[in-house]
Amino acid sequence: MKIFGKVRHRPSASWRQATDRAFTLIGDGRYDDAGALLTRAADMEPWLSESWFNLALLHKFRHDWEQARAAGLRAVALLDRSPGAPDWWNVGIAATALQDWPLARRAWQAYGLKVPGSGATQSEPSGMALGSAAVRLSPEGEAEVVWGRRLDPARIEVLSIPLPSSGRRWGEVVLHDGVPHGERTTAAGPSYPVFDEIELWAPSPVPTWVVLLEAATEADRDALERLAADAGFAAEDWSSSVRLLCRTCSESSMPSDEGDGEHLDPHDHSEPGHPGPLGHRTAGSGSLWVPERECGIAAPAALVRGLLDGWVADSPDTREWRDLEEVC
């Protein structure tokens, strides 16, 4: 097969050396130096899809979406196959970052996914029914895994209330990478992938508050979470929904709950009664109930105090709140 007038062949030793060195530099965060090497490699072997795939990958790491899209399109033009090729996935991420919806649809379809609607439509993909997943916020820093709803193959809407250290809010949409790093399993059987955040795609106007509750029973706590949900916002009992995990555990296959009774989660690196800050469970752990709870609330300033007061008014003998503070 001839492409650009040359016969397709295995890349040269010089190409491989430049590429290997470039990815070593990428691992060290030296993106400019890596870019020079990958550009040289592409000049040496312009008919190789891998040359442009590697450049697209570098531009993705740098969040240079215009360049990632351009290199990605050159990579897919040279592919021997389309369905399942990661080149198309990178094009889809770049197109989603740029809100180039016709190209995003084309990329997901070429990868082998079903996308409802016309490929030429200017509206974002919807109705793909990809379900729930977890996303690791700030994966290179104090990473925090939260739950969300997949809007399409590259975006997740955050449904947990992130801790303030993440700088993220409930209801925000984050762009995420395509390769999962870990998974979360549930007692019911399903497992959910954990994707790494790339960047914030759409901010949320809803602030995050922290408040100390006195909730005599789990039912009292649950009542506040229902009240917030009924108002169109959210409350989350951080005292039971959050745990601290080391990076190795976080990136492995993890149960989303601790279990019942005296069974302890060997991956939980928090101390009894003092859950850590970096992973959100799907439910309570079944341990002894402690009435004082630290709760995160996602709600507008005009609503949050009325929400808490209404919660107390429904059962003043078993409920109380104090120390409300906006944290993000």
Side-chain angles (χ1 to χ4, degrees), residues 185-187 243 254-259 263 265 281-285:
T185 60
T186 63
R243 60 180 170 175
M254 290 290 302
S256 61
D257 303 310
E258 281 192 352
H263 174 71
D265 184 349
R281 301 189 184 99
T282 54
S285 65

Side-chain angles (χ1 to χ4, degrees), residues 46-86:
W47 47 86
L48 281 178
S49 63
E50 290 90 343
S51 295
W52 304 104
F53 172 83
N54 293 335
L55 272 172
L57 202 61
L58 171 68
H59 294 313
K60 182 183 73 171
F61 294 151
R62 301 175 71 174
H63 303 181
D64 186 342
W65 299 117
E66 293 282 359
Q67 292 294 329
R69 177 174 59 182
L73 286 172
R74 293 197 69 167
V76 297
L78 296 169
L79 284 176
D80 291 328
R81 62 185 181 91
S82 287

Side-chain angles (χ1 to χ4, degrees), residues 104-126:
R105 288 171 176 273
R106 177 185 165 207
W108 304 135
Q109 288 168 341
Y111 185 79
L113 301 176
K114 293 183 178 179
V115 184
S118 167
T121 182
Q122 296 299 316
S123 62
E124 62 189 79
S126 61

Side-chain angles (χ1 to χ4, degrees), residues 49-281:
S49 63
E50 290 90 343
S51 295
W52 304 104
F53 172 83
N54 293 335
L55 272 172
L57 202 61
L58 171 68
H59 294 313
K60 182 183 73 171
F61 294 151
R62 301 175 71 174
H63 303 181
D64 186 342
W65 299 117
E66 293 282 359
Q67 292 294 329
R69 177 174 59 182
L73 286 172
R74 293 197 69 167
V76 297
L78 296 169
L79 284 176
D80 291 328
R81 62 185 181 91
S82 287
D87 310 67
W88 277 113
W89 195 280
N90 281 340
V91 170
I93 292 175
T96 300
L98 295 168
Q99 300 186 45
D100 182 349
W101 301 125
L103 179 58
R105 288 171 176 273
R106 177 185 165 207
W108 304 135
Q109 288 168 341
Y111 185 79
L113 301 176
K114 293 183 178 179
V115 184
S118 167
T121 182
Q122 296 299 316
S123 62
E124 62 189 79
S126 61
M128 295 185 71
L130 298 174
S132 299
V135 60
R136 183 175 291 105
L137 306 176
S138 303
E140 300 304 321
E142 190 175 330
E144 177 181 356
V145 175
V146 298
W147 290 94
R149 177 174 67 93
R150 299 187 71 185
L151 303 180
D152 58 35
R155 293 180 300 155
I156 290 180
E157 179 187 10
V158 176
L159 299 183
S160 298
I161 302 178
L163 297 168
S165 59
S166 74
R168 294 285 177 260
R169 290 176 167 182
W170 170 87
E172 289 187 327
V173 177
V174 297
L175 192 72
H176 69 80
D177 217 340
V179 179
H181 280 168
E183 65 177 4
R184 296 297 180 266
T185 60
T186 63
S191 62
Y192 300 91
V194 181
F195 296 103
D196 285 347
E197 174 194 19
I198 298 176
E199 65 181 16
L200 178 64
W201 190 87
S204 169
V206 181
T208 302
W209 307 80
V210 62
V211 64
L212 289 179
L213 305 179
E214 287 290 335
T217 67
E218 291 184 65
D220 289 305
R221 183 274 316 276
D222 294 345
L224 177 60
E225 294 183 349
R226 285 196 302 272
L227 200 63
D230 290 344
F233 299 99
E236 182 177 334
D237 179 8
W238 282 340
S239 295
S240 63
S241 72
V242 177
R243 60 180 170 175
L244 180 65
L245 302 173
C246 69
R247 180 173 294 274
T248 299
C249 293
S250 178
E251 295 180 355
S252 66
S253 179
M254 290 290 302
S256 61
D257 303 310
E258 281 192 352
D260 298 320
E262 296 300 317
H263 174 71
L264 299 178
D265 184 349
H267 305 280
D268 191 336
H269 296 272
S270 59
E271 298 178 0
H274 299 280
L278 301 183
H280 291 242
R281 301 189 184 99

Side-chain angles (χ1 to χ4, degrees), residues 9-26:
H9 60 271
R10 293 175 61 84
S12 66
S14 297
W15 183 95
R16 291 196 299 271
Q17 290 169 0
T19 300
D20 291 344
R21 176 58 180 159
F23 277 94
T24 298
L25 294 171
I26 289 172

